[in-house]
Amino acid sequence: MDIYKNKLEEYEKPNGNKLSKNSIDLYVRNIQMLVDKHGYDWKIDNLNEFFDSKTFTPETSKSYMNSIINYLKLFEYDPDIIKIYIQHRDKFEKIIQNKPKLTDKKKLNLVEWDEIIKWYNLVKKENQLKYDLNKLNRYDLQLELLLCLYITYPRRNELADLKYGTLDGNCISYADKRWTLILKDFKTTESFGQQEFKIPEELTELNMLLNKITVGLVEGDNIFKDTKGNPLSRLNLTKTLQRSSKKLMNGKSISTNMIRHSFNNSKYKGMKDELIKDSYIQGHSVGVKLAYYVL
């Protein structure tokens, strides 16, 4: 397993970036579990039986299959062998795509975008009161910054990883009197590569919060931290937002994913049905319409 881990650490993705520690840990953990249960005899029928016996979700089964594909590629197995696992991985992906996009629990937590803005304003109001009473702490300010960032850039949980300065991984830097958000390690990095967002001066609240939260930080420090001063994990970022939303938004448990749903639903509501209807009338796909007819 050490040899596999070394290969993962040396591997470079198509965009030239290394795998994240989280990805490496996941691959190693999955393969180790499979080896403990099956050795290296990964017959498809046995694996499917194992997935069924554990009542794994399609997402978990896909994760294990991705780990096997990764392992076989790194150890340069025959492409025809690897293809078998890719085909089975794609079956799990098809099941995932056909599942309802929103569970009943998520539907209960759906909010309009103006409610997200209201949430942010309530946090600001609370922080102002705490500031007036000399009770405002770094974690109160951190929550306000998180919401301000997610309102401006509705990302996934990768913002938990942000470090101060220009570094490998996800970071935020200050140069030439301007903040820049740099993302190198996120779910779709392989498709989008490194992304950089220059934060405009007119976003005064975001700039002010970044100026405040980074006081005393040195190059490489984590911007977001837990109550013990450790780097904020992606899971704890979600918990931080959910605790705040339950308190301020009538018990709704709002995560980064729900913020993204709210943003997209608010901005593009009604457009999907129109695109599908008009594409059908014109006899081409929605993809063709967007690629060739919408400028």
Side-chain angles (χ1 to χ4, degrees), residues 170-226:
N170 300 325
C171 55
I172 194 155
S173 67
Y174 188 75
D176 300 325
K177 298 182 179 180
R178 193 167 187 179
W179 288 102
T180 301
L181 176 64
I182 303 170
L183 301 173
K184 303 177 184 178
D185 181 15
F186 51 96
K187 185 176 180 180
T188 50
T189 304
E190 290 190 10
S191 299
F192 289 88
Q194 177 175 316
Q195 293 183 297
E196 291 191 14
F197 303 95
K198 299 284 185 184
I199 297 176
E201 291 181 5
E202 55 266 28
L203 296 178
T204 53
E205 289 185 4
L206 181 52
N207 281 285
M208 177 195 68
L209 288 166
L210 286 170
N211 290 335
K212 286 183 178 180
I213 206 79
T214 54
V215 170
L217 295 186
V218 298
E219 183 99 356
D221 281 349
N222 284 80
I223 290 179
F224 299 117
K225 301 176 182 180
D226 63 22

Side-chain angles (χ1 to χ4, degrees), residues 154-165:
R155 303 290 305 191
R156 300 180 184 88
N157 284 15
E158 64 263 18
L159 295 189
D161 307 334
L162 289 180
K163 296 191 179 216
Y164 179 58

